[in-house]
Amino acid sequence: MKTLQARLVKGAAVVAAMALVASCGLPRSGPTKQEIFSGSVLEDGDAFVLLVNDRVNLVASVTPALGFAAGFRDAGELGSDTIRAGDTLGLTIWENVRDPLLVPAGQNATVLEEVQVDGSGFIFVPYAGRIRAAGNSPEAIRRIITTKLEEQTPDPQVQVRRLAGDGATVSIVGAVGAQGVYAIERPTRTLASMLARAGGVSVEPSIAQVTVVRGGHSGQIWFEDLYDHPGHDIALRAGDRIFVEQDTRSFTALGATGTQSRVTFESQSLSAIEAIAQVGGLSTNLADPTGVFVFRNEPEEIAKQLVGRNDLTGTQRVVYVLDLTEPNGMFMARDFAIRDGDTVYVTEAPYSQFNKTIAAITGSLSGVEAATSIVE
């Protein structure tokens, strides 16, 4: 009698456990594949769910390119002979007379070092007076000084040199070897050479971005592109502000992956396969390789091309589906480009849910067995 009673109790417990599991649900990392598809516009949802193929890859894998506008690219290099306000000059004057104006006794030349061009563009030379320097070349300034001095000393010989000054300068901040203000000189007239002067970049070059602000305009380029594509190595202008920073793009990985977190890009371009590998790949115990999803807000122009509709307005929610078990599934995932702000989600396999159900039931039955032993 007690044995029959125990069996009835155990049977009732199994039914109760199964009912409880069915009604309360099981722990999981996110929605199932069916639940995601139910959010499609075809099911009265508000997202377009698209299976990735060659056509979708061609449209969706367009990524914003970095580069400088024509105003930056077409600017010529600054001439090293043009003097500007703030520049520093070095002057040497020779006089071949017994009683010179400027040369100390017993010498044949006088040196005037670090003669700075003032804010109005002038310099002062003793006995020659105030001379316009800005806009002139060192040779033109030499002739002007010579003409002025000839009125007071016969056949003076003048040499004018442009020294490193702060007239034509740029500022460099961020991830470089040495931040600071640098003069535009003959070896540093272009962006790449100026960055080299500042010690190069201090972050991984493949993910270093360089921004140049000039007046009310700005342009941005990948550091590596300065060397791979010489046309991007723009000429600098006085007052340019140069910022170097590490790539700030990221995506979010969720679901049955090795890691669930916000992940930064490790290269200029990132495919879906690379993104999955970057977070430790698919979880071998949980992941469903037929349910790899990429959630993204697509601009109106791209969304129209993807779904073939012209009645869309504004940004559209798009869910891309990657089935790695398809014959070309791995190739499709390899060619699909991840963009900044994407969410990569991998669903759990039905088998893992089944295992969780069994584990939940057997865990409940352990309590039943304990109760049965008491009844017996």
Side-chain angles (χ1 to χ4, degrees):
M1 182 65 181
K2 289 184 178 181
T3 301
L4 178 60
Q5 185 178 3
R7 290 177 179 175
L8 291 175
V9 170
K10 182 181 291 188
V14 170
V15 174
M18 294 182 65
L20 180 63
V21 169
S23 61
C24 297
L26 294 168
R28 50 182 173 154
S29 57
T32 64
K33 185 163 58 175
Q34 289 72 24
E35 288 171 338
I36 294 175
F37 277 107
S38 68
S40 168
V41 292
L42 299 178
E43 301 289 339
D44 297 325
D46 61 353
F48 292 97
V49 181
L50 304 175
L51 180 64
V52 174
N53 54 28
D54 288 329
R55 187 191 71 82
V56 170
N57 259 336
L58 184 63
V59 177
S61 294
V62 176
T63 56
L66 299 184
F68 294 110
F72 285 93
R73 299 194 309 270
D74 297 341
E77 293 184 0
L78 291 178
S80 60
D81 291 338
T82 302
I83 305 302
R84 297 170 180 80
D87 282 351
T88 302
L89 305 178
L91 308 178
T92 303
I93 301 172
W94 288 267
E95 294 181 75
N96 190 23
V97 295
R98 182 174 297 178
D99 188 18
L101 287 173
L102 298 172
V103 178
Q107 299 182 25
N108 63 353
T110 184
V111 178
L112 303 177
E113 292 287 2
E114 297 186 358
V115 178
Q116 188 169 27
V117 182
D118 63 25
S120 299
F122 289 84
I123 60 172
F124 175 77
V125 180
Y127 298 101
R130 198 161 181 257
I131 294 173
R132 177 76 181 183
N136 287 322
S137 66
E139 172 60 21
I141 297 172
R142 184 195 70 80
R143 291 196 300 266
I144 295 172
I145 295 174
T146 300
T147 301
K148 294 282 188 178
L149 292 179
E150 278 180 339
E151 299 174 359
Q152 305 176 64
T153 184
D155 195 25
Q157 303 297 305
V158 180
Q159 182 187 60
V160 178
R161 306 177 308 281
R162 180 184 182 275
L163 307 178
D166 58 358
T169 62
V170 299
S171 61
I172 305 179
V173 298
V176 293
Q179 303 181 73
V181 177
Y182 294 87
I184 302 176
E185 300 176 281
R186 184 180 294 274
T188 56
R189 297 178 186 173
T190 64
L191 179 57
S193 59
M194 186 62 78
L195 289 173
R197 178 67 176 273
V201 298
S202 58
V203 296
E204 179 63 35
S206 62
I207 54 174
Q209 294 181 352
V210 182
T211 302
V212 178
V213 179
R214 180 176 298 169
H217 303 278
S218 65
Q220 193 174 44
I221 194 71
W222 293 104
F223 175 74
E224 287 188 336
D225 286 348
L226 291 178
Y227 300 93
D228 295 340
H229 307 285
H232 292 304
D233 189 13
I234 60 172
L236 296 176
R237 288 289 181 269
D240 281 353
R241 290 173 290 164
I242 303 171
F243 303 90
V244 181
E245 61 182 349
Q246 182 173 321
D247 185 11
T248 57
R249 294 175 303 160
S250 66
F251 68 94
T252 303
L254 296 174
T257 60
T259 300
Q260 300 189 54
S261 63
R262 177 178 174 271
V263 187
T264 57
F265 280 49
E266 294 182 350
S267 58
Q268 292 186 26
S269 60
L270 186 70
S271 70
I273 284 292
E274 291 170 328
I276 293 172
Q278 196 169 325
V279 295
L282 302 182
S283 174
T284 55
N285 296 325
L286 298 175
D288 179 5
T290 69
V292 178
F293 297 88
V294 178
F295 295 78
R296 177 185 299 168
N297 290 333
E298 287 287 11
E300 177 182 325
E301 297 77 11
I302 293 180
K304 286 180 178 179
Q305 296 180 57
L306 287 169
V307 301
R309 289 174 50 176
N310 294 320
D311 59 341
L312 303 180
T313 303
T315 302
Q316 302 294 317
R317 293 176 176 176
V318 179
V319 181
Y320 296 99
V321 185
L322 292 162
D323 184 350
L324 302 186
T325 65
E326 288 291 323
N328 291 325
M330 295 293 286
F331 288 100
M332 295 300 169
R334 186 197 63 181
D335 296 337
F336 186 86
I338 299 298
R339 294 215 299 262
D340 184 29
D342 281 355
T343 297
V344 178
Y345 175 70
V346 180
T347 58
E348 294 184 2
Y351 174 77
S352 68
Q353 289 294 308
F354 175 76
N355 280 346
K356 289 179 182 180
T357 302
I358 297 301
I361 293 174
T362 55
S364 300
L365 289 180
S366 62
V368 173
E369 291 174 353
T372 303
S373 63
I374 295 174
V375 174
E376 293 174 348

